[in-house]
Amino acid sequence: MHHLFDQFEKIDRDQRFLIECFAEMLEELGEGEIARKLPWLHQDLPEDLPPSERLAQAYSLGFQLLNMVEENTAAQHRRATEEVQGLEQVSGLWGQTLRQLKESGLTEEDIAEHMRQVRVEPVLTAHPTEAKRASVLEHYRSLYLLLLRRENQMWTPREQRRIRREIVFELERIWRTGEIYLRKPDVVTELLSVLHYLKKVFPNILDILDRRLLQAWVAEGFDPELLNGPEHLPRLSFGNWVGGDRDGHPGVTAEVTRQTMGKLRQHALDLLETQLKELGRRLSLSEHRQVPPQELVERVETIRSELGSLADPAIQRNIGEPWRQLVNLMRLRLPDPGEPLGTQHYRRSQQLMDDLQVLRNSLQAVGAQRLVEVDVHPVMRLVQTFGFHLAVLDVRQNSAFHDRAVEQLLQAAGFEKTDFGSWSEEERLAFLDHELELPRPFARLHQRIGLEADAVRSCYAVLTEHIREHGEEALGALIVSMTRSASDLITVYLLANECGLAQPGVGGPACPLPVVPLFETIDDLHRSPEILKVFLQHPMTQRSLEIQRQRRGDAIPVQQVMIGYSDSNKDGGIFSSQWTLYRAQEALVEVGRECGVRVRFFHGRGGTISRGAGPTHRFLRALPHSALSGDLRMTEQGETIAQKYANWGTAHYNLELLIAGVAGATLKHLHQAKEAHPLEPVLDQLAESSRKTYAELIGSEGFIEYFSEATPIDVIERSRIGSRPSRRSGRRSLEDLRAIPWVFSWSQARCYLSSWYGVGTALEGLQNQHPEDFQRLCDQHLKWHPLHYITSNVATSLANVDLEIMAEYAALMEDAEVRERFLGKITAEYHRARKMMELLYGGPLPEQRPQVHRVLDSRRDALRVLHRQQIGLLRKWRELSRAGESQESELLLTHLLGTVNAIASGLRTTG
């Protein structure tokens, strides 16, 4: 508790400092009335302040300052803990992970051997959950750096005052800019945001990550030579969905995908050019002070003869400095992203890595090991991580879209029966198998045959062209969302074959890119093992996995499987979703083992608890045995990208959590036999019970009307926070609504329905019917990681609920009978869930989890003001909309969106 108190004291102190700076800025701009309504300075403000756009903006900025202070305090606390108590004292990082592995009996050789097999790939997506504009995020980053500068004790009082004035200036810049999008961003705008992290953040923290691993390694008394060089370290790479994810997104065209790959390639090559230029500047070794090894001399001469006169400037620039000459030649051989590849250019990033290996060998041969570690290894690490592509681009499309594309191909080819989407699974598989054996296409190459077929064919043509020119390095997977059957996956082979993406192979065509199922709903997750087994046994899958295995150099074929947290939660509630995902992973791993394939899971986690978020180290520890195998893909969505990676200190902390967590869990699983936990059948029962309760609520007559009126869903669907539509096809149904606006609207109304509803009834039923099982649950819930991950997330969600505010949103519903029925059910279930969770935790939640509740307490007063303003505005906006007053309602909408943004800032979450 002492450390918690120290942190809270610092948070209070730093927050007050920033808010005072903010108030000073407002006063100077003539906004003194708003300054006097800041709740962090004035505790006795009424909660029913009249609506004001400027006040909502001020509260939003105030929340951002609080978030920033908490982030910085956490970082400073981690540093102090490691310095005073040791690296192993911070949960989830390398120090603790290596200590635990050592104590479990693993040797340094065991750990090092598996370390090089660890592969982590965060995938950045543009799901519409980032409400702030990119320019505003940049200003907040500058403000954070000023807060960091202020931590330094070296400044004189005069210098401290100067830092304070710079903070006031930056706050004014933010205040004058305005945070929210006034129109929906396009894909290009979203790509620019992703590129910021890929260019300016991740490359700069790779070396920090590696150094922290080596520090922890040496601290445990391990031999540093075992991790000497990038090939011995865990692999980090990045994925990207912006410009490739076209599921329900008409704005992602083939041309957008082409431009996206071009921009990623351009920035990757710019990054490498900058790094090689700096490397050449550093490696000023003279042949007069050390004799150049023969390997170096021969490599310089070989490249020189290949390039002819093109090499002369690179050689002449540094006569007598062959190490620099080789780096100059490497720069010359980098491709020009805007020009066709010449014979002198590297075609693959591995060729650059080979030359860097020659450079490394030549430095080691003259005893310059320190220069290798400081200068060459970081560049090799960049090439290993970013290649010539920066991040692999996934292409995602919905299975129903593919069905319509096939139907249009059948119509173009003159087939009599063309309703492919309604065929039985047996008919679909028989047809696909027959057609995959035939070389003829369904339609001419440039023939226009239908919206869906044309879109798929043009997309695959772009992918085929890129593979022909640059190889597969830049491409991730072909992901099929809403995978309902094996034929949904094999259909992609048919389309790839039709478009020339498939390659001829021994025994038939093969697909060079992984075809990946995305299992999203509860029902699909239950069926997923059977679907995967049929798919893995298909001849084209086996051929495709084999060519992919050979290209990557894997020991056995690898099948990627994506599992969705968002729709499974919207479908069944949190307990059912989390436990069904756990069971599905277990079964899918077993199917892969039976088929001689390693399953690589791609976790589609969102930014909120309802959509799979939760502490990274707890998430990784809660995964089933063998579900990692040292290899993890995971989406990073919306506002979580900024929260995790906007600032370098937070970025390397979150990536270290991820990499160390994957390594630790993998090694633990490899050296411990899988054992069924005795409580697994109990969780099966709880998952089903909670699902029934949740499904009964959302399936009740009148529930859609309640949801539509008792939450600001109609405003959120009009927001400009992402280029993607909030509904997959535009139909007004719960099934068609994306999980993001579903979760976003419940959080704005302070209900958080899908992240706790049903849990109370399930636990109460267990306690009444099987008290001995409930007691075992209480005994184990902090010890068994899968259970603790679920219960801690439920407890956090319950803490975020505000019953009073929730009831005021419900009052927006005009039908009193429907309103009272659903509000009564939800309120009763909340009390039930809270009571049962307190029995699990052994006391009141605020006492058992003080940090969570302290964070919420610091936001409560300001949030209540905003909620009440939003409710009043929402009521008026709906009245104007119904009356047809479109101009006036549109003006009010901008104000409403400001409250949405401000509340999201306070809750640190959108959807």
Side-chain angles (χ1 to χ4, degrees):
M1 289 298 293
H2 175 66
H3 291 298
L4 284 180
F5 175 78
D6 288 348
Q7 286 190 74
F8 291 152
E9 187 178 54
K10 178 173 170 53
I11 288 170
D12 289 341
R13 186 172 62 249
D14 288 356
Q15 185 198 9
R16 185 159 191 92
F17 167 79
L18 285 180
I19 293 293
E20 286 173 349
C21 289
F22 182 29
E24 177 183 317
M25 181 272 294
L26 290 171
E27 292 280 0
E28 290 174 358
L29 295 183
E31 301 273 18
E33 186 179 350
I34 291 177
R36 288 185 289 277
K37 291 179 181 176
L38 296 176
W40 302 281
L41 294 179
H42 309 283
Q43 300 297 325
D44 55 348
L45 288 173
E47 292 180 356
D48 56 347
L49 291 172
S52 160
E53 283 190 63
R54 307 289 272 177
L55 189 63
Q57 182 188 352
Y59 279 28
S60 180
L61 207 162
F63 285 134
Q64 292 295 332
L65 299 181
L66 177 53
N67 297 339
M68 190 180 298
V69 164
E70 289 171 346
E71 181 181 337
N72 179 54
T73 300
Q76 300 303 327
H77 183 253
R78 287 193 298 271
R79 292 179 63 206
T81 300
E82 289 184 339
E83 182 66 27
V84 175
Q85 300 178 29
L87 294 173
E88 73 282 359
Q89 292 301 313
V90 180
S91 183
L93 299 184
W94 277 122
Q96 186 184 82
T97 299
L98 294 176
R99 173 66 57 87
Q100 290 173 347
L101 291 173
K102 182 179 179 181
E103 289 174 349
S104 72
L106 292 173
T107 67
E108 57 186 325
E109 290 81 11
D110 292 331
I111 301 170
E113 177 60 32
H114 287 100
M115 200 68 81
R116 71 183 73 184
Q117 299 169 21
V118 171
R119 184 182 177 199
V120 174
E121 189 171 281
V123 180
L124 308 183
T125 82
H127 279 348
T129 60
E130 175 52 81
K132 289 176 292 301
R133 297 162 55 198
S135 57
V136 175
L137 290 171
E138 289 284 354
H139 296 328
Y140 278 122
R141 290 183 192 109
S142 299
L143 191 58
Y144 184 85
L145 291 176
L146 287 169
L147 185 63
L148 216 56
R149 274 179 61 194
R150 188 172 170 267
E151 295 286 343
N152 199 319
Q153 298 301 308
M154 65 176 280
W155 306 118
T156 66
R158 182 182 294 108
E159 289 168 329
Q160 282 281 8
R161 288 194 295 272
R162 178 61 194 169
I163 293 172
R164 190 181 193 281
R165 287 306 295 164
E166 288 182 40
I167 288 172
V168 172
F169 296 156
E170 200 63 53
L171 285 167
E172 180 177 348
R173 203 185 319 277
I174 296 170
W175 179 251
R176 290 182 179 276
T177 302
E179 290 190 308
I180 65 172
Y181 287 112
L182 298 178
R183 61 181 182 181
K184 287 181 79 68
D186 57 16
V187 180
V188 173
T189 304
E190 292 172 333
L191 181 61
L192 289 174
S193 177
V194 166
L195 283 170
H196 169 85
Y197 297 98
L198 291 169
K199 291 190 308 178
K200 297 183 179 179
V201 177
F202 298 135
N204 292 304
I205 60 174
L206 278 181
D207 196 42
I208 300 172
L209 286 167
D210 290 345
R211 280 191 276 111
R212 283 187 55 82
L213 167 56
L214 289 168
Q215 286 169 1
W217 187 265
V218 171
E220 288 305 316
F222 294 163
D223 181 2
E225 283 302 307
L226 291 170
L227 296 186
N228 189 8
E231 67 273 25
H232 299 294
L233 297 172
R235 286 288 304 272
L236 175 66
S237 57
F238 295 93
N240 167 50
W241 273 19
V242 182
D245 180 14
R246 55 225 324 120
D247 178 11
H249 196 328
V252 182
T253 63
E255 184 56 32
V256 165
T257 297
R258 185 198 307 277
Q259 291 173 6
T260 298
M261 290 191 292
K263 285 184 181 295
L264 289 167
R265 182 174 172 83
Q266 174 190 335
H267 289 294
L269 292 168
D270 288 348
L271 172 67
L272 294 176
E273 162 65 22
T274 301
Q275 295 297 319
L276 288 174
K277 184 177 181 179
E278 177 62 18
L279 179 62
R281 188 187 69 78
R282 287 169 172 268
L283 292 183
S284 55
L285 288 79
S286 169
E287 63 184 20
H288 302 297
R289 301 300 300 270
Q290 47 263 306
V291 178
Q294 190 62 27
E295 182 185 19
L296 173 65
V297 174
E298 290 177 358
R299 187 57 189 150
V300 169
E301 189 54 40
T302 298
I303 300 177
R304 181 178 186 174
S305 63
E306 289 174 351
L307 297 182
S309 61
L310 289 172
D312 291 346
I315 297 296
Q316 296 299 323
R317 194 159 54 241
N318 300 108
I319 296 295
E321 297 176 343
W323 287 271
R324 265 184 172 164
Q325 288 175 335
L326 179 56
V327 177
N328 291 340
L329 292 169
M330 289 184 212
R331 291 175 61 195
L332 200 58
R333 296 191 71 198
L334 282 177
D336 183 334
E339 300 292 333
L341 278 177
T343 55
Q344 78 275 18
H345 291 130
Y346 294 121
R347 302 194 73 81
R348 305 286 184 268
S349 62
Q350 184 56 48
Q351 294 172 300
L352 171 59
M353 186 67 96
D354 292 341
D355 280 344
L356 286 167
Q357 180 66 53
V358 172
L359 184 69
R360 176 168 76 169
N361 293 345
S362 66
L363 287 167
Q364 289 173 331
V366 298
Q369 180 61 32
R370 279 192 290 266
L371 299 187
V372 168
E373 293 172 5
V374 172
D375 296 332
V376 181
H377 280 170
V379 180
M380 294 180 77
R381 191 68 155 146
L382 281 168
V383 177
Q384 184 192 64
T385 300
F386 298 105
F388 289 172
H389 60 282
L390 212 60
V392 297
L393 183 70
D394 287 341
V395 171
R396 182 175 74 136
Q397 187 52 276
N398 196 286
S399 58
F401 193 96
H402 289 154
D403 284 353
R404 291 193 292 273
V406 171
E407 289 173 351
Q408 291 159 7
L409 289 172
L410 292 174
Q411 291 162 10
F415 277 68
E416 186 175 330
K417 188 178 179 184
T418 61
D419 56 337
F420 179 71
S422 63
W423 294 1
S424 70
E425 179 69 355
E426 292 73 19
E427 288 179 294
R428 286 162 63 97
L429 288 173
F431 165 78
L432 292 167
D433 288 346
H434 177 261
E435 289 299 324
L436 285 170
E437 293 178 356
L438 302 176
R440 56 120 177 97
F442 286 87
R444 294 190 304 275
L445 183 60
H446 299 294
Q447 177 184 354
R448 298 186 67 80
I449 55 178
L451 178 67
E452 287 81 5
D454 292 344
V456 173
R457 296 207 307 167
S458 59
C459 171
Y460 285 12
V462 166
L463 303 183
T464 303
E465 177 188 353
H466 188 92
I467 290 172
R468 184 171 59 249
E469 293 182 4
H470 306 300
E472 299 89 353
E473 185 181 53
L475 295 169
L478 303 172
I479 300 172
V480 183
S481 56
M482 288 299 169
T483 298
R484 301 285 168 82
S485 64
S487 64
D488 285 340
L489 303 172
I490 299 166
T491 294
V492 178
Y493 290 152
L494 180 77
L495 295 167
N497 211 29
E498 171 73 11
C499 304
L501 178 59
Q503 301 172 353
V506 178
C511 188
L513 301 179
V515 174
V516 174
L518 168 47
F519 300 116
E520 301 181 74
T521 69
I522 297 292
D523 287 343
D524 292 342
L525 286 164
H526 283 311
R527 291 198 306 271
S528 62
E530 174 192 342
I531 294 170
L532 184 65
K533 189 169 188 176
V534 173
F535 179 61
L536 289 179
Q537 291 173 341
H538 194 274
M540 188 159 174
T541 302
Q542 293 175 351
R543 292 193 297 269
S544 301
L545 291 180
E546 179 55 25
I547 64 166
Q548 294 160 23
R549 182 197 69 78
Q550 292 175 9
R551 187 174 73 242
R552 289 191 303 260
D554 294 327
I556 64 171
V558 176
Q559 173 63 49
Q560 190 179 146
V561 174
M562 187 171 184
I563 50 176
Y565 290 70
S566 302
D567 281 280
S568 61
N569 183 276
K570 180 165 80 86
D571 193 35
I574 190 168
F575 210 114
S576 178
S577 170
Q578 296 283 338
W579 188 244
T580 302
L581 285 160
Y582 183 94
R583 286 299 210 189
Q585 288 175 78
E586 284 187 318
L588 290 164
V589 166
E590 193 56 40
V591 167
R593 188 176 289 116
E594 291 172 14
C595 296
V597 168
R598 178 171 67 80
V599 174
R600 181 192 191 198
F601 285 107
F602 181 8
H603 297 267
R605 302 174 79 211
T608 59
I609 285 173
S610 284
R611 297 181 49 245
T616 298
H617 57 297
R618 285 186 189 164
F619 162 71
L620 294 171
R621 290 170 186 167
L623 292 174
H625 193 280
S626 304
L628 271 175
S629 302
D631 196 351
L632 177 84
R633 286 193 103 204
M634 186 179 77
T635 53
E636 296 285 18
Q637 297 183 358
E639 81 278 0
T640 60
I641 298 175
Q643 288 172 8
K644 288 184 176 182
Y645 304 121
N647 303 303
W648 290 6
T650 311
H652 77 66
Y653 167 67
N654 281 295
L655 285 174
E656 184 177 340
L657 275 179
L658 199 55
I659 301 167
V662 170
T666 298
L667 280 156
K668 179 182 174 184
H669 292 168
L670 283 171
H671 292 84
Q672 289 181 7
K674 178 184 176 181
E675 293 181 4
H677 195 282
L679 283 175
E680 288 179 6
V682 176
L683 264 64
D684 289 336
Q685 178 185 340
L686 289 170
E688 180 57 21
S689 173
S690 66
R691 186 196 66 79
K692 284 181 178 177
T693 302
Y694 176 85
E696 180 187 346
L697 176 78
I698 67 171
S700 298
E701 184 179 349
F703 179 77
I704 299 301
E705 289 73 22
Y706 178 81
F707 167 62
S708 300
E709 295 185 45
T711 75
I713 179 62
D714 43 355
V715 174
I716 287 165
E717 289 194 285
R718 296 283 301 277
S719 65
R720 290 94 175 196
I721 58 174
S723 65
R724 177 188 302 279
S726 59
R727 293 179 184 270
R728 286 191 166 91
S729 66
R731 294 195 308 272
R732 305 297 300 179
S733 66
L734 187 56
E735 292 75 20
D736 193 57
L737 181 70
R738 293 183 184 277
I740 292 166
W742 164 259
V743 172
F744 196 173
S745 53
W746 285 118
S747 65
Q748 287 273 310
R750 298 303 295 279
C751 180
Y752 294 86
L753 188 84
S754 58
S755 60
W756 57 268
Y757 195 91
V759 175
T761 294
L763 288 171
E764 188 177 71
L766 181 69
Q767 183 190 37
N768 293 337
Q769 296 162 27
H770 304 285
E772 68 288 351
D773 286 340
F774 183 78
Q775 186 55 51
R776 286 196 297 150
L777 210 67
C778 294
D779 295 340
Q780 288 291 312
H781 110 273
L782 294 178
K783 301 174 184 175
W784 186 30
H785 294 307
L787 174 61
H788 184 215
Y789 185 66
I790 297 173
T791 56
S792 63
N793 283 338
V794 170
T796 299
S797 298
L798 289 169
N800 277 283
V801 174
D802 187 322
L803 289 180
E804 187 177 334
I805 294 298
M806 184 178 75
E808 292 180 28
Y809 277 95
L812 289 166
M813 183 164 198
E814 295 181 353
D815 188 323
E817 187 277 324
V818 174
R819 177 181 67 234
E820 295 308 317
R821 175 157 47 94
F822 285 109
L823 181 60
K825 280 186 177 181
I826 293 169
T827 303
E829 181 65 12
Y830 168 83
H831 288 302
R832 193 177 294 116
R834 182 135 187 167
K835 172 189 168 188
M836 301 314 297
M837 294 304 296
E838 291 187 339
L839 288 174
L840 282 181
Y841 272 93
L845 292 180
E847 294 177 11
Q848 300 300 312
R849 311 179 85 233
Q851 197 156 9
V852 171
H853 288 265
R854 171 63 170 74
V855 166
L856 291 167
D857 287 344
S858 65
R859 292 159 165 78
R860 179 171 289 110
D861 291 345
L863 277 169
R864 285 192 161 193
V865 171
L866 287 169
H867 284 301
R868 289 183 169 126
Q869 290 196 355
Q870 186 183 88
I871 290 165
L873 290 168
L874 195 53
R875 182 177 284 112
K876 186 176 179 182
W877 178 69
R878 287 172 178 173
E879 290 171 357
L880 290 170
S881 299
R882 284 194 295 268
E885 302 286 346
S886 56
Q887 188 172 356
E888 202 172 338
S889 69
E890 192 64 27
L891 288 173
L892 204 58
L893 179 62
T894 302
H895 189 175
L896 261 172
L897 292 174
T899 66
V900 168
N901 181 57
I903 292 169
S905 298
L907 297 172
R908 296 209 74 177
T909 183
T910 54

